[in-house]
Amino acid sequence: MTAVRQRQRDLGLPEAFEWVHDNNPELLAVARSAGLSVLEAPLMVLDPTALPPAAELGGPAVRILDPAAPGFATDVAVRRAVAAVGFAAPGTETGAAGPTARDAALVELPVDSLDEERARTAAGGRISALVEMPGEGAVASGMALRVDDVAEIAGIATLPSARRRGLGAAVTAALARRLLDDGTNLIFLSAGSDEIARVYLRVGFRRIGTACIAEPAPAAL
Ligand SMILES: CC(C)(COP(=O)(O)OP(=O)(O)OC[C@H]1O[C@@H](n2cnc3c(N)ncnc32)[C@H](O)[C@@H]1OP(=O)(O)O)[C@@H](O)C(=O)NCCC(=O)NCCS
């Protein structure tokens, strides 16, 4: 693991490891002894028969981003800003940060990143979603990464000011529904904690194991 970290550093890549704990339980001790901080995340797979119909969930419409639309660049920047503000307030509690914080986090994407995002989206390898509310703009977002008939849902985030209204569940369900409609057979995700896993449980995901996500521990102050 130390050698791989050195190689990641040499290549300018993030020092990060992910594995399924149930398949390789021995890696947990190795990662910790290498000084990495390890998140043990509920690994969940969608049971398609348990995905509630959109009408049953209620709530606002979820917009799937269209790579051919003129507003795609702005939409992607907004999705990233919502995620940045959402992940800066971990957990599921509500908070003060809302549309003003999102707008302050907006960053225009470099042209090559945007081209890559557009190409991946057009090819079906990436699906992005936003929930917009009147007077608030985009308040929740998420994405899916797909390879052939397998996809991971990731980056589900709701602005703290808009939490506990069912938006995180609605974004997850809309992405799952689109993936199923596109012929995806296996849809999985790693939940950040047991409490976050409850959001996914309600839209048909079932825990099948533990995903370990290891990164360098934050430097002590
Ligand atoms: C996790 C996260 C996306 C959930 O978003 P959310 O929009 O608040 O999710 P939901 O509203 O669907 O569900 C959250 C809770 O609100 C409750 N809720 C849903 N609709 C509600 C309503 N109308 N009134 C009251 N409570 C409601 C849900 O039952 C759930 O309660 P629980 O914690 O007891 O299970 C959000 O908290 C977040 O962005 N966290 C930080 C980023 C993160 O960790 N993302 C997940 C990575 S795996």
Side-chain angles (χ1 to χ4, degrees), residues 73-82 84 101-110 113-114:
T74 306
D75 286 343
V76 171
V78 169
R79 189 206 74 212
R80 289 181 177 219
V82 170
R102 174 205 61 214
D103 292 346
L106 263 180
V107 178
E108 196 177 332
L109 251 61
S113 303
L114 181 62

Side-chain angles (χ1 to χ4, degrees), residues 86-87 89-93 156-158 162-170 190-192 195-196 198-200 202:
F87 278 92
T92 63
E93 290 308 312
I156 303 293
T158 302
R163 288 183 186 167
R164 310 193 83 80
R165 300 185 205 163
L167 306 184
S190 304
E195 57 171 359
I196 292 171
R198 287 202 300 266
V199 174
Y200 305 129
R202 277 197 305 281

Side-chain angles (χ1 to χ4, degrees), residues 4-18:
V4 175
R5 286 180 72 186
Q6 185 57 52
R7 182 76 178 134
Q8 288 171 329
R9 276 196 292 271
D10 291 347
L11 294 172
L13 296 171
E15 290 177 60
F17 297 82
E18 292 192 25

